[in-house]
């Protein structure tokens, strides 16, 4: 089981943005030469702050947005051209859930109808089979028929997100992209949905791309984690190991900025400088203006994502192979 | 020492639906108190009610005093002396709290004129000092900028500067970092701590994020369905929560290190304020609930000197008490 289900090779996405009515256009490199693959049955977590390009990545992986350069391959085949029969067949195998379940649901339709819709669209099963499947899906997300008859407005935030999840699972997808699926939920409800996702993944053998700004949630759900900063992966590795021993100065700052109950902030790394702005990407390593270890080289040369050991890849001039200059900051 | 702010029996009802069921809370001079709880638990309403900021349809009862002076039902003139001056407030969404068509200078100077009577050059100099204080680089030039020219973290810094303009004794920070990225959140929390030290200012930090509250407060109150269910020093609460809801909240938080464990999700959802269960509002979701829990509402009762819990079956009792 080490065949990748999803292979991303050097994808980039640039948006054009105009400053003011008559201003000149500037290019915003939302995603810049990103490569990764996700093994079947595994979850890749992408963590990063706003503007890091994590949502754009999710959309390109699903083919909702074409990459300007690079390729996305799903189960060995490139993403088919949108609108074709091949594309529809492929799309039934990959689904997504977003942060705002109310925005993803039709307020004027009972939720069971909405779970049923993908079955109708992809013409799966007879009428009775579809009814049974909807019931089964509701049960799989710990809801029942009476919830199915309600409208989205009559459900709580956590229940709505379960409905969205049930609908995404209707076509028995192999691959699920979750973009901040629990960020809008309260802690206790968030835990319910995270547990549900973990259970469903184990039971259905789902492959997932899980996008979040929340390190804790990412660690809980992912097997591998990619840390993004301004459109590039700066660190990649095994989830537990990466958060236990972050190597890139940015990952170290992120981990140390994550508040923990029970310990006061001792030696927290507080980054100075402006937050990342994709429209004004610094030269060299994009993180260098905020990095306390930055040297002259960092401002000029873009560091490549290189293997540190068998598990870890880091894009930093200061972190190389055996010796690690930033270790002391951990 | 008399507390700076003393709230007792504070109740709020919207259109006849009670949402706050009697809050008792004292804030001492210079101390940082955290309020945690999920949406709808009444964290923000408590302070909006105390400062007379709720719409007229809200019925407020009980008492909230500042240095012994009653605020509930107080005259507008009295409240004007308090709001922004003695007690300032900052909110989750700083961008919507600023006027987009006025420069930062205008908005800062408005606050300075209102609360400190500063005008002209004196106000400009003070505005400059405040922007410097909150860490806005190149403050002199940035004074004439508009809110949209600043990033989210910088706008929150400006809101803090405006809040500090009245030299308040108490700052109510209502989810001040929720809309910000992790590294920027760390910066803002750092700034708030520095400002508190410098002015010996008390702070109420309202947050749904247990970690944020734990790290930045002396005392914490956990709220659920319009009541305080547990009150404890921050460090003790997180090491050893007593109320099953507080335990649930902490158990629901995914760990960032150590072994992965299944999250202890609290079953069910927060009750609708229009249909609160009889007895303890948490009982239907509580795995320790017994018959007594559904019969009557448990009151917030002191257990040891600085800890109180509103639970008939708090999960750590006499044995541990003896050890303390």
């Amino acid at each position: 089981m080490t065949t990748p289900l999803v292979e991303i090779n050097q994808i980039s996405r640039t948006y054009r943005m105009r400053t003011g009515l008559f201003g000149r256009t500037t290019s915003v490199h939302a995603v810049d030469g990103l490569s990764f693959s996700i093994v079947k049955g595994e979850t890749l977590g992408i963590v990063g702050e706003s503007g890091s390009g994590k949502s754009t990545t999710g959309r390109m992986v699903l083919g909702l947005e074409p990459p300007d350069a690079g390729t996305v391959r799903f189960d060995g085949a490139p993403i088919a051209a949108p609108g074709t029969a091949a594309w529809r067949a492929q799309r039934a195998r990959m689904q997504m859930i977003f942060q705002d379940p109310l925005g993803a649901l039709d307020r004027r339709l009972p939720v069971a109808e909405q779970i049923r819709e993908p079955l109708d669209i992809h013409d799966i099963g007879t009428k009775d089979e579809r009814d049974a499947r909807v019931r089964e899906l509701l049960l799989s997300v710990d809801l029942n028929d009476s919830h199915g008859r309600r409208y989205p407005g009559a459900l709580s935030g956590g229940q709505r997100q379960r409905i969205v999840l049930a609908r995404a699972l209707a076509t028995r997808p192999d691959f699920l992209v979750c973009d901040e699926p629990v960020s809008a939920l309260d802690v206790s409800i968030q835990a319910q949905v995270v547990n549900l996702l973990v259970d469903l993944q184990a039971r259905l053998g789902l492959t997932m791309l899980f996008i979040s700004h929340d390190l804790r949630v990412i660690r809980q759900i992912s097997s591998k984690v990619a840390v993004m900063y301004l459109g590039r992966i700066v660190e990649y590795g095994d989830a537990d190991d990466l958060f236990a021993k972050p190597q890139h100065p940015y990952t170290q700052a992120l981990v140390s900025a994550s508040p923990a109950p029970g310990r006061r902030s001792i030696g927290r790394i507080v980054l100075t400088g402006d937050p990342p702005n994709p429209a004004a990407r610094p030269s060299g390593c994009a993180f260098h203006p905020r990095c306390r270890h930055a040297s002259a080289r960092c401002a000029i040369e873009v560091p490549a994502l290189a293997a540190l050991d068998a598990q870890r890849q880091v894009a930093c001039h200061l972190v190389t192979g055996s010796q690690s200059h930033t270790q002391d900051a951990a | 020492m008399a507390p700076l702010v003393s709230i007792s029996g504070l109740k709020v009802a919207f259109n006849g639906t009670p949402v706050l069921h009697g809050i008792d809370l004292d804030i001492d001079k210079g101390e940082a108190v955290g309020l945690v709880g999920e949406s709808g638990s009444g964290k923000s309403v408590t302070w909006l009610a105390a400062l007379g900021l709720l719409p007229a349809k809200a019925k407020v009862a009980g008492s909230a005093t500042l240095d012994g002076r009653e605020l509930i039902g107080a005259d507008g003139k009295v409240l004007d002396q308090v709001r922004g001056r003695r007690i300032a407030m900052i909110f989750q969404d700083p961008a919507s709290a600023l006027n987009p068509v006025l420069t930062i200078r205008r908005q800062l100077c408005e606050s300075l004129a209102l609360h400190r009577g500063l005008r002209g050059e004196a106000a400009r100099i003070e505005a400059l000092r405040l922007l410097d204080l909150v860490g806005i680089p190149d403050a002199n030039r940035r004074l004439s900028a508009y809110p949209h020219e600043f990033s989210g973290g910088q706008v929150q810094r400006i809101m803090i500067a405006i809040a500090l303009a009245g030299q308040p004794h108490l700052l109510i920070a209502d989810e001040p970092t929720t809309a910000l990225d992790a590294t920027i959140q760390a910066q803002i929390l750092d700034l708030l701590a520095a400002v508190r030290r410098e002015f010996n200012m008390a702070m109420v930090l309202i947050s749904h994020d247990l970690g944020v509250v734990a790290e930045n407060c002396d005392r914490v109150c956990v709220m659920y369905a319009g009541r305080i269910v547990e009150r404890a020093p921050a460090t003790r609460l997180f090491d050893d929560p007593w109320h099953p809801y507080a335990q649930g909240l902490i158990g629901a938080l995914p760990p960032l290190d150590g072994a992965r464990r299944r999250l202890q999700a609290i079953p069910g959802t927060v009750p609708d304020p229009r249909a609160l269960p009889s007895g303890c509002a948490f009982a239907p979701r509580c795995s320790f609930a017994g018959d007594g829990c559904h019969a009557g509402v448990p009151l917030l009762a002191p257990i040891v000197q600085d800890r109180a819990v509103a639970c008939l079956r708090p999960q750590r009792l006499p044995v541990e008490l003896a050890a303390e």
Side-chain angles (χ1 to χ4, degrees):
Chain A
M1 283 274 281
T2 47
T3 22
L5 183 71
V6 179
E7 286 169 279
I8 310 299
N9 192 17
Q10 292 290 324
I11 55 167
S12 297
R13 179 77 181 147
T14 307
Y15 296 110
R16 303 229 164 270
M17 190 177 79
R18 197 154 61 166
T19 46
L21 192 55
F22 302 106
R24 59 194 173 81
T25 53
T26 48
S27 314
V28 178
H29 299 279
V31 172
D32 197 5
L34 207 63
S35 302
F36 59 81
S37 57
I38 311 175
V39 173
K40 268 185 190 145
E42 277 200 346
T43 300
L44 173 71
I46 295 189
V47 65
E49 297 179 283
S50 32
S52 61
K54 44 189 202 306
S55 292
T56 306
T57 304
R59 295 175 59 82
M60 284 194 289
V61 170
L62 283 170
L64 292 178
E65 210 169 297
D68 293 327
T71 54
V72 178
R73 293 176 76 81
F74 179 73
D75 208 5
I79 297 282
T84 60
W87 178 74
R88 296 184 103 202
Q90 219 169 26
R91 282 306 309 279
R93 296 183 57 199
M94 44 213 287
Q95 293 290 342
M96 76 219 95
I97 51 179
F98 294 115
Q99 176 171 354
D100 175 21
L102 200 54
L105 293 170
D106 186 335
R107 288 166 188 258
R108 295 167 302 172
L109 214 55
V111 291
E113 296 286 313
Q114 306 192 42
I115 295 177
R116 200 190 154 90
E117 255 183 335
L119 301 174
D120 295 335
I121 289 171
H122 292 288
D123 202 19
I124 299 168
T126 63
K127 186 182 173 298
D128 287 349
E129 281 168 4
R130 285 178 198 172
D131 288 343
R133 177 80 178 128
V134 168
R135 208 164 306 130
E136 180 194 28
L137 284 163
L138 278 169
L139 286 177
S140 73
V141 295
D142 302 335
L143 296 175
N144 56 40
D145 278 347
S146 78
H147 293 109
R149 284 190 293 272
R150 295 194 208 163
Y151 292 86
L155 295 171
S156 71
Q159 288 169 338
R160 284 181 205 136
Q161 197 59 289
R162 286 158 193 265
I163 296 292
V164 172
L165 184 57
R167 182 178 62 181
L169 297 175
T171 56
R172 301 184 198 277
D174 300 306
F175 181 52
L176 196 60
V177 174
C178 308
D179 192 351
E180 303 271 13
V182 298
S183 304
L185 304 176
D186 276 319
V187 193
S188 70
I189 309 299
Q190 175 175 309
Q192 293 173 5
V193 176
V194 166
N195 281 345
L196 180 65
L197 275 169
V198 171
D199 292 348
L200 285 172
Q201 187 196 19
R203 211 174 72 219
L204 306 173
L206 282 171
T207 307
M208 291 207 292
L209 178 67
F210 194 95
I211 298 166
S212 178
H213 71 284
D214 188 327
L215 269 59
R216 293 173 176 279
V217 172
I218 282 275
R219 190 185 101 116
Q220 185 72 19
I221 218 155
S222 313
S223 26
K224 296 282 194 301
V225 171
V227 181
M228 282 187 75
Y229 192 81
L230 283 178
R232 293 209 176 105
I233 293 177
V234 296
E235 187 159 0
Y236 174 89
D238 180 71
D240 290 352
D241 185 50
L242 189 140
F243 289 130
K245 292 193 283 290
Q247 293 296 317
H248 194 283
Y250 176 63
T251 318
Q252 290 173 349
L254 264 190
V255 171
S256 103
S258 186
R263 80 168 156 84
R264 285 253 165 177
S265 47
I266 306 154
R268 171 189 284 161
I269 307 166
V270 175
L271 293 175
T272 52
D274 290 334
N277 175 6
R281 196 192 152 85
S283 62
C285 170
F287 183 62
H288 86 264
R290 304 172 78 195
C291 181
R292 46 192 201 150
H293 305 288
S295 65
R297 183 183 173 203
C298 302
I300 304 160
E301 207 180 313
V302 179
L305 189 66
L308 187 67
D309 52 46
Q311 301 294 330
R312 190 77 63 91
Q313 295 169 25
V314 183
C316 179
H317 292 309
L318 299 163
V319 183
T320 44
S322 54
Q323 49 174 5
S324 154
H325 294 278
T326 60
Q327 190 74 61
D328 62 324
Chain B
M1 191 175 70
L4 177 69
V5 173
S6 181
I7 293 176
S8 65
L10 187 66
K11 292 182 181 177
V12 175
F14 290 113
N15 299 326
T17 306
V19 293
L20 217 56
H21 305 266
I23 298 293
D24 299 299
L25 178 64
D26 287 350
I27 312 288
D28 286 333
K29 290 188 178 74
E31 96 172 317
V33 176
L35 289 184
V36 284
E38 298 178 275
S39 359
S41 59
K43 317 183 286 286
S44 303
V45 171
T46 302
W47 292 97
L48 294 175
L51 294 174
L53 291 170
L54 288 175
K57 67 169 183 176
K59 259 189 66 189
V60 182
S63 150
T65 60
L66 170 70
D67 285 337
R69 208 156 33 135
E70 183 60 47
L71 299 178
I72 303 296
D75 195 53
K77 279 197 188 115
V78 175
L79 287 176
D80 283 344
Q81 290 299 308
V82 172
R83 290 189 292 223
R85 178 84 182 87
R86 301 290 311 281
I87 302 178
M89 205 160 172
I90 55 173
F91 300 93
Q92 173 174 350
D93 181 10
S96 66
L98 287 174
N99 187 333
V101 299
L102 296 182
T103 61
I104 297 308
R105 179 181 175 171
R106 279 280 294 278
Q107 305 190 50
L108 258 168
C109 289
E110 182 190 4
S111 219
L112 289 166
L114 211 56
H115 301 306
R116 308 251 299 271
L118 295 174
R119 316 241 176 250
E121 190 58 16
R124 198 190 69 88
I125 290 170
E126 180 63 10
L128 209 58
R129 192 187 69 87
L130 285 170
L131 279 193
D132 258 340
L133 182 80
V134 297
I136 298 284
D138 198 7
N140 204 4
R141 199 173 54 80
R142 300 289 262 167
L143 261 183
S144 47
Y146 292 88
H148 74 269
E149 298 176 60
F150 294 88
S151 67
Q154 283 181 321
V155 175
Q156 191 60 289
R157 284 173 191 271
I158 292 165
M159 280 313 299
I160 294 172
I162 293 177
L164 294 178
Q167 298 175 319
H169 294 92
L170 172 63
L171 178 69
I172 314 287
D174 189 351
E175 304 268 9
T177 58
T178 307
L180 303 175
D181 280 320
T183 58
I184 309 299
Q185 163 171 297
Q187 289 177 1
I188 296 293
L189 292 173
D190 233 39
L191 170 65
L192 283 175
V195 166
R196 276 193 53 227
R197 272 196 306 273
E198 187 161 338
F199 300 108
N200 190 28
M201 180 179 71
M203 177 171 76
V204 171
L205 184 60
I206 300 174
S207 181
H208 70 285
D209 188 324
L210 292 158
V212 166
V213 165
E215 286 194 0
N216 294 284
C217 295
D218 307 317
R219 282 195 302 144
V220 178
C221 294
V222 181
M223 292 188 70
Y224 187 77
R227 284 197 171 85
I228 294 176
V229 295
E230 181 156 3
R231 192 175 62 214
T235 44
R236 304 260 295 284
L237 177 72
F238 294 101
D239 291 344
D240 178 24
W242 286 348
H243 195 285
Y245 176 65
Q247 291 171 354
L249 275 187
I250 292 167
L253 202 65
L256 198 54
D257 43 31
R260 264 188 244 191
R261 56 170 172 81
R262 191 176 170 77
L263 302 180
Q264 297 164 19
I266 305 174
T269 51
V270 177
D272 187 324
R274 282 164 298 190
L276 278 186
S278 63
C280 172
F282 186 62
R285 304 176 72 187
C286 181
S287 43
F288 305 105
D291 291 341
C293 299
H294 299 284
V297 177
L299 295 174
L300 188 67
I303 291 190
V304 284
Q305 197 198 354
D306 51 359
R307 294 194 69 164
V309 60
C311 182
L312 294 178
R313 307 178 155 202
Q315 286 312 301
R316 299 214 37 187
L317 268 181
V319 190
E320 279 76 18
L321 284 188
E324 288 196 24

